[in-house]
């Protein structure tokens, strides 16, 4: 079968379209024929060796997978050939103390699909059955692939890690991205007054279209002051932050007393100098959020089925054009999600 593999790190890295061995499932695993797979910033980190974990090459990237089951192991009873599924990208062990409590995002033996094991930029992928969630009626493969990782990350942030109260001021950083575009919609559905940011007019227009009440130009260094002005100097009660670096510090400039920042990323920097005095005087909170639990993924797909959460798809690339998809995401000239779709399905013996 065909797969795109990263064979050398870099920015750009070196990719090859290869014929690889058909994946055979273990007793509790399934083979999924990939129909669509989302591209995410974690794929860029894999490409440039920017993750603080050991990385082995060659590796097939891609963690946001939707497809159909074509084969399963001897112990798999719940799933059948032909079932349409989404795949949870943070592969959890199912046995540790956190998994037993349904907190798979904290799994002690977790693996990142497409990073620590081969992912979905291929015609087929093998995954544990516990990582599967059925696609609800009305959710097609592209919708799933555009929401399964980024959308469920936003869902985890806003419904698990923090509580959104009706009327809260919610600031969503980077509203045109995968996490941001979902967070705007989730926040509005939960009754928040949503502000967002964008670095271009097109990105700001998209955030507005998605439901943001106010959208700020993130290239203007005074945007935190604008947030204060819009909120009558109250500041925002919640911030969805996934950028890190100096952006995280700017979020504190417009955070209300008792307010909370929930952060899930560090694309602009992982280390910051932090002023503790205003943080504890104003009784603010900084909360980390990592991945998702199975319940978050199920909620994301259920919301999509009900029309409460809609993906924004920027573009779709065929498998052999995956390097071009990486280049486009790296350019930051993206509105919503980039998807990669495989060639016409190959025979199972390939």
């Amino acid at each position: 079968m065909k797969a795109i593999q990263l064979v050398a790190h870099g920015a750009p890295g070196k990719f090859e379209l290869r014929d690889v061995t058909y994946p055979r499932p273990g007793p509790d695993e399934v083979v999924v024929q990939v129909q669509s797979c989302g591209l995410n910033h974690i794929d860029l980190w894999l490409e440039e060796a920017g993750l603080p974990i050991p990385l082995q090459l060659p590796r097939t990237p891609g963690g946001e997978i939707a497809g159909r089951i074509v084969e399963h192991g001897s112990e798999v009873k719940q799933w059948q050939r032909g079932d349409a599924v989404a795949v949870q990208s943070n592969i959890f062990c199912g046995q540790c103390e956190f998994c037993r409590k349904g907190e798979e995002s904290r799994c002690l033996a977790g693996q990142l699909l497409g990073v620590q094991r081969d992912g979905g930029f291929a015609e087929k992928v093998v995954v544990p059955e516990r990582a599967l969630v059925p696609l609800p009626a009305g959710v097609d493969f592209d919708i799933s692939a555009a929401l399964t990782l980024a959308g469920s990350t936003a869902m985890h942030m806003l419904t698990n890690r923090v509580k959104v109260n009706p009327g809260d001021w919610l600031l969503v950083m980077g509203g045109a991205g995968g996490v941001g575009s979902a967070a705007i919609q989730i926040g509005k559905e939960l009754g928040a007054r949503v502000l967002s940011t964008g670095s271009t007019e097109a990105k700001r227009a998209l955030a507005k279209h998605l439901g943001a009440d106010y959208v700020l130009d993130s290239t203007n260094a005074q945007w935190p002051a604008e947030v204060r002005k819009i909120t009558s100097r109250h500041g925002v009660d919640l911030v969805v932050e996934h950028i890190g670096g100096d952006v995280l510090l700017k979020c504190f400039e417009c955070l209300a007393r008792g307010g909370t920042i929930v952060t899930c990323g560090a694309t602009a920097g992982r280390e910051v100098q932090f002023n503790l005095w205003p943080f504890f005087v104003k009784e603010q909170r900084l909360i980390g959020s990592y991945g998702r639990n199975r319940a978050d993924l199920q909620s994301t797909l259920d919301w999509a089925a009900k029309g409460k959460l809609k993906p924004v798809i920027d573009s779709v690339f065929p498998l052999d054009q995956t390097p071009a998809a990486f280049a486009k995401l790296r350019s930051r000239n993206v509105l919503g999600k980039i998807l990669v779709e495989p060639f016409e399905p190959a025979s199972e013996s390939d």
Side-chain angles (χ1 to χ4, degrees):
M1 70 169 195
K2 300 290 186 182
I4 285 285
Q5 293 201 312
L6 177 67
V7 298
H9 294 296
K14 182 180 180 181
F15 293 94
E16 291 182 0
L17 179 64
R18 291 181 163 187
D19 288 301
V20 299
T21 303
Y22 178 88
R24 297 297 177 185
D28 66 343
E29 294 179 325
V30 301
V31 177
V32 175
Q33 180 176 283
V34 180
Q35 299 295 317
S36 190
C37 186
L39 181 65
N40 293 276
H41 201 94
I42 194 168
D43 296 304
L44 296 186
W45 280 339
L46 168 69
E47 180 188 26
E48 64 190 34
L51 290 163
I53 57 177
L55 300 173
Q56 295 183 343
L57 299 182
R59 176 66 70 217
T60 300
E64 200 165 18
I65 299 167
R68 290 191 183 278
I69 295 174
V70 293
E71 187 178 350
H72 59 75
S74 59
E75 296 177 5
V76 176
K77 306 300 181 185
Q78 179 182 352
W79 305 97
Q80 304 297 324
R81 287 170 58 99
D83 286 347
V85 296
V87 181
Q88 188 166 335
S89 61
N90 53 310
I91 304 295
F92 54 95
C93 73
Q95 302 296 322
C96 73
E97 58 180 297
F98 297 107
C99 287
R100 291 196 300 270
K101 293 187 291 185
E103 297 173 350
E104 297 93 355
S105 63
R106 302 177 186 179
C107 176
L108 296 174
Q111 288 187 312
L112 296 173
L113 186 58
V115 175
Q116 293 159 295
R117 58 186 293 160
D118 285 336
F121 294 150
E123 292 178 324
K124 297 179 180 71
V125 63
V126 61
V127 296
E129 67 165 326
R130 61 184 175 274
L132 302 179
V133 172
L135 291 192
V139 176
D140 64 25
F141 296 116
D142 282 351
I143 291 174
S144 175
L147 289 174
T148 296
L149 191 155
S152 65
T153 296
M155 185 68 73
H156 185 65
M157 296 173 82
L158 288 173
T159 65
N160 181 289
R161 301 299 291 137
V162 301
K163 177 178 174 56
V164 180
N165 297 305
D168 278 349
W169 285 107
L170 168 65
L171 171 62
V172 176
M173 299 304 300
V179 172
S181 61
I184 289 172
Q185 297 176 71
I186 295 168
K188 290 296 292 183
E189 187 67 28
L190 295 174
R193 294 172 288 180
V194 178
L195 300 86
S196 191
T197 64
S199 59
T200 68
E201 183 59 40
K203 291 180 179 180
R204 294 190 290 272
L206 174 58
K208 189 75 173 178
H209 173 74
L210 292 170
D213 300 287
Y214 302 91
V215 185
L216 303 142
D217 183 355
S218 58
T219 67
N220 180 352
Q222 301 305 312
W223 68 261
E226 287 296 310
V227 171
R228 285 284 183 183
K229 181 178 179 181
I230 291 168
T231 61
S232 301
R233 300 194 62 78
H234 171 80
V236 290
D237 303 293
L238 293 167
V239 182
V240 169
E241 201 282 323
H242 50 92
I243 301 168
D246 290 342
V247 173
L248 174 64
L249 300 180
K250 283 186 172 293
C251 289
F252 276 105
E253 295 179 23
C254 52
L255 187 64
R257 289 178 178 267
T260 301
I261 296 174
V262 57
T263 182
C264 72
T267 56
R270 297 173 186 170
E271 296 184 7
V272 295
Q273 286 189 322
F274 187 59
N275 187 347
L276 278 175
W277 179 265
F279 178 68
F280 64 72
V281 167
K282 296 179 180 180
E283 295 192 335
Q284 296 168 332
R285 299 176 182 86
L286 175 62
I287 295 178
S289 185
Y290 182 69
R292 72 223 37 87
N293 299 331
R294 183 180 178 84
D296 302 313
L297 178 51
Q298 290 175 320
S299 294
T300 299
L301 295 175
D302 288 344
W303 279 41
K306 295 173 183 176
K308 295 160 59 176
L309 181 58
K310 298 178 181 179
V312 178
I313 298 175
D314 176 277
S315 49
V316 180
F317 287 77
L319 187 64
D320 61 344
Q321 293 300 309
T322 299
F326 272 73
K328 184 169 186 180
L329 183 59
R330 200 183 308 112
S331 76
R332 300 183 67 238
N333 185 29
V334 176
L335 299 177
K337 294 288 297 185
I338 295 174
L339 304 181
V340 173
E341 295 183 346
F343 299 140
E344 290 297 318
S347 69
E348 294 178 31
S349 61
D350 286 356

